[in-house]
């Protein structure tokens, strides 16, 4: 609703909107961290060495902060 109000030019409470966005991004970040932790611990056991190298290269090329596969 707040996004629709902002789009229509009826935006009224910047503090509340900022709090809402911070909360949404924090929840999303927490969820992604959990997924990455779960996946990071399993991929080295599942992928062949050549596949780990390809994934590490792809992650690095696409600007991912983690190149977790290269050390395993």
């Amino acid at each position: 609703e707040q996004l629709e109000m902002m789009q229509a030019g009826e935006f009224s409470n910047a503090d509340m909107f900022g709090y809402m966005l911070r909360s949404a991004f924090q929840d999303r970040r927490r969820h992604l961290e959990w997924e990455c932790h779960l996946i990071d611990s399993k991929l080295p056991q599942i992928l062949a060495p050549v596949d780990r190298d390809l994934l590490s290269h792809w992650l690095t090329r696409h600007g991912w902060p983690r190149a977790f596969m290269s050390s395993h």
Side-chain angles (χ1 to χ4, degrees), residues 1 8-9 13-14 20-21 37 56 59-60 64-68 70:
E1 290 175 2
N13 191 340
M20 181 185 73
L21 285 178
H37 175 73
S56 180
L59 291 172
T60 302
W64 284 56
R66 304 170 302 115
F68 59 89
S70 60

Side-chain angles (χ1 to χ4, degrees), residues 13-32:
N13 191 340
D15 289 334
M16 190 227 14
F17 187 67
Y19 179 79
M20 181 185 73
L21 285 178
R22 283 188 299 278
S23 177
F25 288 131
Q26 183 178 15
D27 290 345
R28 178 73 175 163
R29 194 175 307 117
R30 189 179 309 121
H31 178 76
L32 288 173

Side-chain angles (χ1 to χ4, degrees), residues 2-64:
Q2 289 295 315
L3 291 174
E4 289 173 354
M5 288 174 62
M6 179 192 285
Q7 184 180 14
E10 300 170 7
F11 189 65
S12 61
N13 191 340
D15 289 334
M16 190 227 14
F17 187 67
Y19 179 79
M20 181 185 73
L21 285 178
R22 283 188 299 278
S23 177
F25 288 131
Q26 183 178 15
D27 290 345
R28 178 73 175 163
R29 194 175 307 117
R30 189 179 309 121
H31 178 76
L32 288 173
E33 287 172 0
W34 177 82
E35 283 183 346
C36 288
H37 175 73
L38 181 67
I39 291 171
D40 287 355
S41 66
K42 299 297 179 196
L43 282 180
Q45 301 164 7
I46 296 170
L47 295 177
V50 68
D51 294 326
R52 290 195 300 265
D53 290 342
L54 287 170
L55 177 59
S56 180
H57 179 70
W58 185 90
L59 291 172
T60 302
R61 193 174 68 231
H62 287 85
W64 284 56

